[in-house]
Amino acid sequence: MAAVDSLQEEFVDESLTCSICKDIYDDPRVLPCLHTFCAQCLEQLREEMNQFTCPTCGNQVKCKNEDSIKNLPSNFYINKLLNFWALHNSEEARCEMCESGTRVESVCADCKLLLCGNCLTAHGNSPALKDHYIITLHDLKDPGSRSKYTGAEYCPKHPDVRTTFYCQPCAKLVCRECTINEHRQGFMHSPREVSEVAQKYKDRLQTLVQKTQDTVDALKNTSNTIGKELATITTNSQVEKAKIKEHFVQLKEKLEKAEQDMMVKLKEMEKKQREPLVEEKEGFEDMLRSTEDGVKFCADVLARNNDVEIVTLMGQLEDRLKFLAANQAKREPLEKHITFQPSTEIKYELNLTCKQLVIVDSPVESVPTIIVFWPQKGQEKGAPQITVTSPSGYCVTLETTKISEGVFEAVWRPQTSGRHVVGVVQTGGGGETTGRRRWGRFSGKEGCTPLIVEVGSNSPVLRFGNKGSQQGQFDRPMDVAVRGDRLYVADTDNQRVQVFDLNGKFCSLFATTSNPESLVVQADGTIVVQCGEEVLKFSPSVELQKKLYLGEHCAKISGLAVQRDGRVVVVDSSQKIFLFVEADGTLVTQLKGQGFMQKHISSVCVDKEGNIVVVDSHQHCVQVFDSGLNFIRKFGEHGRQPQDMWGPTGVSVDSRGNIVLVNAGDNSDVGGVEHGKKLQVFRPDGTWVSTISSDGDKLNKPQGVAVTEDGHVFVVDSADHCVRKYKYM
């Protein structure tokens, strides 16, 4: 009996329990993905958002109206099992056929009778009842052995008649009497026997099952392949781990040997420097003692004040004091110091110099790099200039700044990747060059050589997302915004906004009324989203607070921004810019005319001063207005050079006022700076600073951009359905 109870409990846990509420099913409903949950549990998910994902498989379910859950089909079989389970566990559940009071072991869905074991046998032996649908305790213990169900539903209008027909136009089960009245064969109705319709459906389903089984087999094979690859990775990693350990054991031995050699060499160099200084010190100490003795003798003679003694020794005292006074302690200070110059290789050098050219960190394309220079003795006068020659032969000169006595610094922002040559041009005191003398890293020999530097490509430091509707996936993302440590992405065709941390880890999402195309997050966490002709305002807890319909003012909204006073700036690609009061959408200002002759406005943002930065993708330029929409400046022109623009589509401004621009480029499949698919950085006055275009993982169809406080920029790519993160400062 205990074994039976255990099986029954296991069946309830596996087959009759909702995975959301962890309780027995209450009105089980089947989702399109064929997973079953309580209707009330699904209603709770629907109330939280207009679309939700299946808790089991993650498939998205869209709710068109409040009756969406009610319209989902019931799980007929689970309902039958629930009814029988409830009757079986009831103290009053006794056989209704023999009325012997024997405990129930089965139920006939057609007779609507609870049956004991004996009556179950008798029922099955009756030819008239052989097609009835029976559920037994054995079915509960072994769900795979449940008998075939041939139909046991009864017509709601004719309770004593089974629904043995199916009206396809109405998609309803009906009884024979209904086929004579409400569902008579004709233009509007076509009742067919359930078995006939079911057979057609079975054939179709069987074909689909076979195709799906092929997919299952393919997935199993792929999963097995991945499993083998994982095992291969583990085995390979273990082998390489052993190699790494062996390598670093040998490396430690080499390091220890190199350290010992360095210490020996240091000791020899120290001795070589000390010996002449020790001899020099001894000579000065002898001179000091002799001088002190002469001064003391003369001082004693004067102290005794003996006239005869003074007159007698005057000549000797005078000559000696003159001689001692002429011995000045003149010497050259120590100019050479022992310096240790480490290397990334197991190779080190000790040089008797403290003067060198040093590049701080590894240079990366478009990112500032610090160069520090110590001139050698005799070259301290004048301001040195750093020269950098690119792989193409183009040479630039960097002005240096004196940061301390004898130390100069220059800031270099490489514009291309590859091998560069860094040298120094020494100028005279007036700024003129003196023989164009070049200096590089000290080689330990006579003369100097230029410093060879490898500049790395500014590839994305992070990329996440691919096409799909699951969490962390995108379908044509169009815009991105950053506030604090959170990244907000307008997942346009999925009709939602997804939230991530700055490392690309998914945090949350919320649905929008339609396709979101641009968004901005205010300082207080309020999220403003543009969907078509509507502007939606969400609280920091993503509750919809306001909805502004702007169709009567705008033909096509192409971007929005929010000023510090809360007013929403909306740009229209038809040469207009509007400023709206946030509360009710009342038009405050409309600008069109001089200083604003755009052809196609593609994006807008507001800087920390309240200035409005507008991008024109057809005229390949940027225009800036103050908070009152007065024109300030315009910059940019079409071209393939790093400083030129090519179809700018997105813009953002950092806390320093730098303008970060993303360009769509032409239709070439190559990408890169030469084809205009690039990120650009400009100073607030429009001066070009740098261009980012990585060698690998190139931009495809970039849209919105957003900058962070730590010098990074996020770009959404609507064609690659992803977000990329670059370092730009």
mmCIF file with all atom_site columns, all heavy atoms in Angstrom, residues 303-320:
data_model
loop_
_atom_site.group_PDB
_atom_site.id
_atom_site.type_symbol
_atom_site.label_atom_id
_atom_site.label_alt_id
_atom_site.label_comp_id
_atom_site.label_asym_id
_atom_site.label_entity_id
_atom_site.label_seq_id
_atom_site.pdbx_PDB_ins_code
_atom_site.Cartn_x
_atom_site.Cartn_y
_atom_site.Cartn_z
_atom_site.occupancy
_atom_site.B_iso_or_equiv
_atom_site.pdbx_formal_charge
_atom_site.auth_seq_id
_atom_site.auth_comp_id
_atom_site.auth_asym_id
_atom_site.auth_atom_id
_atom_site.pdbx_PDB_model_num
ATOM 1   N N   . ALA A 1 303 ? 95.334  83.108 19.660 1.00 0.00 ? 303 ALA A N   1
ATOM 2   C CA  . ALA A 1 303 ? 94.720  83.069 20.996 1.00 0.00 ? 303 ALA A CA  1
ATOM 3   C C   . ALA A 1 303 ? 95.739  83.359 22.088 1.00 0.00 ? 303 ALA A C   1
ATOM 4   O O   . ALA A 1 303 ? 95.418  83.987 23.104 1.00 0.00 ? 303 ALA A O   1
ATOM 5   C CB  . ALA A 1 303 ? 94.069  81.695 21.216 1.00 0.00 ? 303 ALA A CB  1
ATOM 6   N N   . ARG A 1 304 ? 97.031  82.903 21.921 1.00 0.00 ? 304 ARG A N   1
ATOM 7   C CA  . ARG A 1 304 ? 98.053  83.135 22.950 1.00 0.00 ? 304 ARG A CA  1
ATOM 8   C C   . ARG A 1 304 ? 98.510  84.599 22.953 1.00 0.00 ? 304 ARG A C   1
ATOM 9   O O   . ARG A 1 304 ? 99.048  85.096 23.947 1.00 0.00 ? 304 ARG A O   1
ATOM 10  C CB  . ARG A 1 304 ? 99.249  82.206 22.702 1.00 0.00 ? 304 ARG A CB  1
ATOM 11  C CG  . ARG A 1 304 ? 98.919  80.739 23.024 1.00 0.00 ? 304 ARG A CG  1
ATOM 12  C CD  . ARG A 1 304 ? 100.202 79.909 23.067 1.00 0.00 ? 304 ARG A CD  1
ATOM 13  N NE  . ARG A 1 304 ? 100.839 79.770 21.763 1.00 0.00 ? 304 ARG A NE  1
ATOM 14  C CZ  . ARG A 1 304 ? 100.577 78.789 20.901 1.00 0.00 ? 304 ARG A CZ  1
ATOM 15  N NH1 . ARG A 1 304 ? 99.679  77.865 21.206 1.00 0.00 ? 304 ARG A NH1 1
ATOM 16  N NH2 . ARG A 1 304 ? 101.223 78.737 19.755 1.00 0.00 ? 304 ARG A NH2 1
ATOM 17  N N   . ASN A 1 305 ? 98.366  85.300 21.829 1.00 0.00 ? 305 ASN A N   1
ATOM 18  C CA  . ASN A 1 305 ? 98.644  86.744 21.738 1.00 0.00 ? 305 ASN A CA  1
ATOM 19  C C   . ASN A 1 305 ? 100.074 87.090 22.159 1.00 0.00 ? 305 ASN A C   1
ATOM 20  O O   . ASN A 1 305 ? 100.332 88.090 22.826 1.00 0.00 ? 305 ASN A O   1
ATOM 21  C CB  . ASN A 1 305 ? 97.634  87.517 22.588 1.00 0.00 ? 305 ASN A CB  1
ATOM 22  C CG  . ASN A 1 305 ? 97.572  88.978 22.191 1.00 0.00 ? 305 ASN A CG  1
ATOM 23  O OD1 . ASN A 1 305 ? 97.952  89.346 21.069 1.00 0.00 ? 305 ASN A OD1 1
ATOM 24  N ND2 . ASN A 1 305 ? 97.118  89.820 23.105 1.00 0.00 ? 305 ASN A ND2 1
ATOM 25  N N   . ASN A 1 306 ? 101.024 86.203 21.730 1.00 0.00 ? 306 ASN A N   1
ATOM 26  C CA  . ASN A 1 306 ? 102.445 86.426 22.040 1.00 0.00 ? 306 ASN A CA  1
ATOM 27  C C   . ASN A 1 306 ? 103.052 87.159 20.851 1.00 0.00 ? 306 ASN A C   1
ATOM 28  O O   . ASN A 1 306 ? 103.174 86.595 19.760 1.00 0.00 ? 306 ASN A O   1
ATOM 29  C CB  . ASN A 1 306 ? 103.139 85.078 22.257 1.00 0.00 ? 306 ASN A CB  1
ATOM 30  C CG  . ASN A 1 306 ? 104.586 85.256 22.737 1.00 0.00 ? 306 ASN A CG  1
ATOM 31  O OD1 . ASN A 1 306 ? 105.331 86.094 22.244 1.00 0.00 ? 306 ASN A OD1 1
ATOM 32  N ND2 . ASN A 1 306 ? 104.967 84.424 23.700 1.00 0.00 ? 306 ASN A ND2 1
ATOM 33  N N   . ASP A 1 307 ? 103.427 88.452 21.078 1.00 0.00 ? 307 ASP A N   1
ATOM 34  C CA  . ASP A 1 307 ? 103.914 89.271 19.971 1.00 0.00 ? 307 ASP A CA  1
ATOM 35  C C   . ASP A 1 307 ? 105.165 88.700 19.336 1.00 0.00 ? 307 ASP A C   1
ATOM 36  O O   . ASP A 1 307 ? 105.305 88.700 18.098 1.00 0.00 ? 307 ASP A O   1
ATOM 37  C CB  . ASP A 1 307 ? 104.204 90.696 20.462 1.00 0.00 ? 307 ASP A CB  1
ATOM 38  C CG  . ASP A 1 307 ? 102.931 91.399 20.907 1.00 0.00 ? 307 ASP A CG  1
ATOM 39  O OD1 . ASP A 1 307 ? 101.823 90.929 20.486 1.00 0.00 ? 307 ASP A OD1 1
ATOM 40  O OD2 . ASP A 1 307 ? 103.019 92.387 21.637 1.00 0.00 ? 307 ASP A OD2 1
ATOM 41  N N   . VAL A 1 308 ? 106.082 88.207 20.145 1.00 0.00 ? 308 VAL A N   1
ATOM 42  C CA  . VAL A 1 308 ? 107.336 87.650 19.617 1.00 0.00 ? 308 VAL A CA  1
ATOM 43  C C   . VAL A 1 308 ? 107.030 86.441 18.739 1.00 0.00 ? 308 VAL A C   1
ATOM 44  O O   . VAL A 1 308 ? 107.580 86.269 17.650 1.00 0.00 ? 308 VAL A O   1
ATOM 45  C CB  . VAL A 1 308 ? 108.279 87.256 20.771 1.00 0.00 ? 308 VAL A CB  1
ATOM 46  C CG1 . VAL A 1 308 ? 109.532 86.553 20.225 1.00 0.00 ? 308 VAL A CG1 1
ATOM 47  C CG2 . VAL A 1 308 ? 108.686 88.489 21.564 1.00 0.00 ? 308 VAL A CG2 1
ATOM 48  N N   . GLU A 1 309 ? 106.049 85.559 19.217 1.00 0.00 ? 309 GLU A N   1
ATOM 49  C CA  . GLU A 1 309 ? 105.696 84.345 18.465 1.00 0.00 ? 309 GLU A CA  1
ATOM 50  C C   . GLU A 1 309 ? 105.039 84.709 17.137 1.00 0.00 ? 309 GLU A C   1
ATOM 51  O O   . GLU A 1 309 ? 105.345 84.117 16.099 1.00 0.00 ? 309 GLU A O   1
ATOM 52  C CB  . GLU A 1 309 ? 104.762 83.480 19.311 1.00 0.00 ? 309 GLU A CB  1
ATOM 53  C CG  . GLU A 1 309 ? 104.421 82.153 18.656 1.00 0.00 ? 309 GLU A CG  1
ATOM 54  C CD  . GLU A 1 309 ? 103.504 81.309 19.534 1.00 0.00 ? 309 GLU A CD  1
ATOM 55  O OE1 . GLU A 1 309 ? 102.840 81.858 20.453 1.00 0.00 ? 309 GLU A OE1 1
ATOM 56  O OE2 . GLU A 1 309 ? 103.411 80.085 19.276 1.00 0.00 ? 309 GLU A OE2 1
ATOM 57  N N   . ILE A 1 310 ? 104.170 85.712 17.185 1.00 0.00 ? 310 ILE A N   1
ATOM 58  C CA  . ILE A 1 310 ? 103.466 86.096 15.962 1.00 0.00 ? 310 ILE A CA  1
ATOM 59  C C   . ILE A 1 310 ? 104.432 86.657 14.939 1.00 0.00 ? 310 ILE A C   1
ATOM 60  O O   . ILE A 1 310 ? 104.364 86.311 13.746 1.00 0.00 ? 310 ILE A O   1
ATOM 61  C CB  . ILE A 1 310 ? 102.367 87.129 16.279 1.00 0.00 ? 310 ILE A CB  1
ATOM 62  C CG1 . ILE A 1 310 ? 101.246 86.455 17.089 1.00 0.00 ? 310 ILE A CG1 1
ATOM 63  C CG2 . ILE A 1 310 ? 101.791 87.733 15.008 1.00 0.00 ? 310 ILE A CG2 1
ATOM 64  C CD1 . ILE A 1 310 ? 100.184 87.408 17.573 1.00 0.00 ? 310 ILE A CD1 1
ATOM 65  N N   . VAL A 1 311 ? 105.367 87.522 15.384 1.00 0.00 ? 311 VAL A N   1
ATOM 66  C CA  . VAL A 1 311 ? 106.327 88.120 14.459 1.00 0.00 ? 311 VAL A CA  1
ATOM 67  C C   . VAL A 1 311 ? 107.247 87.059 13.875 1.00 0.00 ? 311 VAL A C   1
ATOM 68  O O   . VAL A 1 311 ? 107.561 87.055 12.681 1.00 0.00 ? 311 VAL A O   1
ATOM 69  C CB  . VAL A 1 311 ? 107.136 89.214 15.187 1.00 0.00 ? 311 VAL A CB  1
ATOM 70  C CG1 . VAL A 1 311 ? 108.298 89.700 14.309 1.00 0.00 ? 311 VAL A CG1 1
ATOM 71  C CG2 . VAL A 1 311 ? 106.245 90.379 15.548 1.00 0.00 ? 311 VAL A CG2 1
ATOM 72  N N   . THR A 1 312 ? 107.632 86.103 14.714 1.00 0.00 ? 312 THR A N   1
ATOM 73  C CA  . THR A 1 312 ? 108.579 85.076 14.270 1.00 0.00 ? 312 THR A CA  1
ATOM 74  C C   . THR A 1 312 ? 107.944 84.136 13.237 1.00 0.00 ? 312 THR A C   1
ATOM 75  O O   . THR A 1 312 ? 108.564 83.762 12.244 1.00 0.00 ? 312 THR A O   1
ATOM 76  C CB  . THR A 1 312 ? 109.060 84.255 15.478 1.00 0.00 ? 312 THR A CB  1
ATOM 77  O OG1 . THR A 1 312 ? 109.654 85.137 16.446 1.00 0.00 ? 312 THR A OG1 1
ATOM 78  C CG2 . THR A 1 312 ? 110.074 83.205 15.050 1.00 0.00 ? 312 THR A CG2 1
ATOM 79  N N   . LEU A 1 313 ? 106.657 83.733 13.448 1.00 0.00 ? 313 LEU A N   1
ATOM 80  C CA  . LEU A 1 313 ? 106.009 82.727 12.578 1.00 0.00 ? 313 LEU A CA  1
ATOM 81  C C   . LEU A 1 313 ? 105.134 83.337 11.477 1.00 0.00 ? 313 LEU A C   1
ATOM 82  O O   . LEU A 1 313 ? 104.488 82.606 10.718 1.00 0.00 ? 313 LEU A O   1
ATOM 83  C CB  . LEU A 1 313 ? 105.128 81.788 13.424 1.00 0.00 ? 313 LEU A CB  1
ATOM 84  C CG  . LEU A 1 313 ? 105.863 80.966 14.487 1.00 0.00 ? 313 LEU A CG  1
ATOM 85  C CD1 . LEU A 1 313 ? 104.865 80.168 15.314 1.00 0.00 ? 313 LEU A CD1 1
ATOM 86  C CD2 . LEU A 1 313 ? 106.878 80.036 13.831 1.00 0.00 ? 313 LEU A CD2 1
ATOM 87  N N   . MET A 1 314 ? 105.116 84.641 11.368 1.00 0.00 ? 314 MET A N   1
ATOM 88  C CA  . MET A 1 314 ? 104.209 85.302 10.443 1.00 0.00 ? 314 MET A CA  1
ATOM 89  C C   . MET A 1 314 ? 104.367 84.798 9.010  1.00 0.00 ? 314 MET A C   1
ATOM 90  O O   . MET A 1 314 ? 103.398 84.498 8.305  1.00 0.00 ? 314 MET A O   1
ATOM 91  C CB  . MET A 1 314 ? 104.424 86.823 10.492 1.00 0.00 ? 314 MET A CB  1
ATOM 92  C CG  . MET A 1 314 ? 103.582 87.584 9.475  1.00 0.00 ? 314 MET A CG  1
ATOM 93  S SD  . MET A 1 314 ? 101.819 87.274 9.705  1.00 0.00 ? 314 MET A SD  1
ATOM 94  C CE  . MET A 1 314 ? 101.179 88.079 8.246  1.00 0.00 ? 314 MET A CE  1
ATOM 95  N N   . GLY A 1 315 ? 105.579 84.692 8.570  1.00 0.00 ? 315 GLY A N   1
ATOM 96  C CA  . GLY A 1 315 ? 105.806 84.290 7.187  1.00 0.00 ? 315 GLY A CA  1
ATOM 97  C C   . GLY A 1 315 ? 105.274 82.889 6.909  1.00 0.00 ? 315 GLY A C   1
ATOM 98  O O   . GLY A 1 315 ? 104.602 82.635 5.902  1.00 0.00 ? 315 GLY A O   1
ATOM 99  N N   . GLN A 1 316 ? 105.569 81.952 7.803  1.00 0.00 ? 316 GLN A N   1
ATOM 100 C CA  . GLN A 1 316 ? 105.113 80.575 7.597  1.00 0.00 ? 316 GLN A CA  1
ATOM 101 C C   . GLN A 1 316 ? 103.591 80.459 7.670  1.00 0.00 ? 316 GLN A C   1
ATOM 102 O O   . GLN A 1 316 ? 102.956 79.761 6.871  1.00 0.00 ? 316 GLN A O   1
ATOM 103 C CB  . GLN A 1 316 ? 105.749 79.667 8.666  1.00 0.00 ? 316 GLN A CB  1
ATOM 104 C CG  . GLN A 1 316 ? 107.261 79.489 8.459  1.00 0.00 ? 316 GLN A CG  1
ATOM 105 C CD  . GLN A 1 316 ? 107.869 78.654 9.549  1.00 0.00 ? 316 GLN A CD  1
ATOM 106 O OE1 . GLN A 1 316 ? 108.039 79.137 10.675 1.00 0.00 ? 316 GLN A OE1 1
ATOM 107 N NE2 . GLN A 1 316 ? 108.219 77.409 9.220  1.00 0.00 ? 316 GLN A NE2 1
ATOM 108 N N   . LEU A 1 317 ? 103.008 81.177 8.670  1.00 0.00 ? 317 LEU A N   1
ATOM 109 C CA  . LEU A 1 317 ? 101.543 81.107 8.819  1.00 0.00 ? 317 LEU A CA  1
ATOM 110 C C   . LEU A 1 317 ? 100.828 81.675 7.596  1.00 0.00 ? 317 LEU A C   1
ATOM 111 O O   . LEU A 1 317 ? 99.836  81.113 7.109  1.00 0.00 ? 317 LEU A O   1
ATOM 112 C CB  . LEU A 1 317 ? 101.105 81.877 10.075 1.00 0.00 ? 317 LEU A CB  1
ATOM 113 C CG  . LEU A 1 317 ? 101.544 81.287 11.414 1.00 0.00 ? 317 LEU A CG  1
ATOM 114 C CD1 . LEU A 1 317 ? 101.174 82.221 12.558 1.00 0.00 ? 317 LEU A CD1 1
ATOM 115 C CD2 . LEU A 1 317 ? 100.916 79.914 11.629 1.00 0.00 ? 317 LEU A CD2 1
ATOM 116 N N   . GLU A 1 318 ? 101.313 82.782 7.092  1.00 0.00 ? 318 GLU A N   1
ATOM 117 C CA  . GLU A 1 318 ? 100.667 83.411 5.953  1.00 0.00 ? 318 GLU A CA  1
ATOM 118 C C   . GLU A 1 318 ? 100.729 82.527 4.715  1.00 0.00 ? 318 GLU A C   1
ATOM 119 O O   . GLU A 1 318 ? 99.737  82.335 3.999  1.00 0.00 ? 318 GLU A O   1
ATOM 120 C CB  . GLU A 1 318 ? 101.344 84.762 5.668  1.00 0.00 ? 318 GLU A CB  1
ATOM 121 C CG  . GLU A 1 318 ? 100.646 85.532 4.549  1.00 0.00 ? 318 GLU A CG  1
ATOM 122 C CD  . GLU A 1 318 ? 101.298 86.891 4.319  1.00 0.00 ? 318 GLU A CD  1
ATOM 123 O OE1 . GLU A 1 318 ? 102.447 87.092 4.779  1.00 0.00 ? 318 GLU A OE1 1
ATOM 124 O OE2 . GLU A 1 318 ? 100.658 87.737 3.685  1.00 0.00 ? 318 GLU A OE2 1
ATOM 125 N N   . ASP A 1 319 ? 101.929 81.955 4.451  1.00 0.00 ? 319 ASP A N   1
ATOM 126 C CA  . ASP A 1 319 ? 102.073 81.096 3.275  1.00 0.00 ? 319 ASP A CA  1
ATOM 127 C C   . ASP A 1 319 ? 101.169 79.862 3.375  1.00 0.00 ? 319 ASP A C   1
ATOM 128 O O   . ASP A 1 319 ? 100.551 79.442 2.388  1.00 0.00 ? 319 ASP A O   1
ATOM 129 C CB  . ASP A 1 319 ? 103.540 80.665 3.124  1.00 0.00 ? 319 ASP A CB  1
ATOM 130 C CG  . ASP A 1 319 ? 104.437 81.830 2.751  1.00 0.00 ? 319 ASP A CG  1
ATOM 131 O OD1 . ASP A 1 319 ? 103.897 82.854 2.267  1.00 0.00 ? 319 ASP A OD1 1
ATOM 132 O OD2 . ASP A 1 319 ? 105.653 81.708 2.936  1.00 0.00 ? 319 ASP A OD2 1
ATOM 133 N N   . ARG A 1 320 ? 101.116 79.275 4.597  1.00 0.00 ? 320 ARG A N   1
ATOM 134 C CA  . ARG A 1 320 ? 100.317 78.040 4.747  1.00 0.00 ? 320 ARG A CA  1
ATOM 135 C C   . ARG A 1 320 ? 98.816  78.301 4.573  1.00 0.00 ? 320 ARG A C   1
ATOM 136 O O   . ARG A 1 320 ? 98.101  77.534 3.906  1.00 0.00 ? 320 ARG A O   1
ATOM 137 C CB  . ARG A 1 320 ? 100.575 77.437 6.134  1.00 0.00 ? 320 ARG A CB  1
ATOM 138 C CG  . ARG A 1 320 ? 99.859  76.105 6.368  1.00 0.00 ? 320 ARG A CG  1
ATOM 139 C CD  . ARG A 1 320 ? 100.265 75.074 5.348  1.00 0.00 ? 320 ARG A CD  1
ATOM 140 N NE  . ARG A 1 320 ? 99.616  73.787 5.592  1.00 0.00 ? 320 ARG A NE  1
ATOM 141 C CZ  . ARG A 1 320 ? 99.639  72.765 4.751  1.00 0.00 ? 320 ARG A CZ  1
ATOM 142 N NH1 . ARG A 1 320 ? 100.262 72.883 3.563  1.00 0.00 ? 320 ARG A NH1 1
ATOM 143 N NH2 . ARG A 1 320 ? 99.045  71.625 5.040  1.00 0.00 ? 320 ARG A NH2 1
#
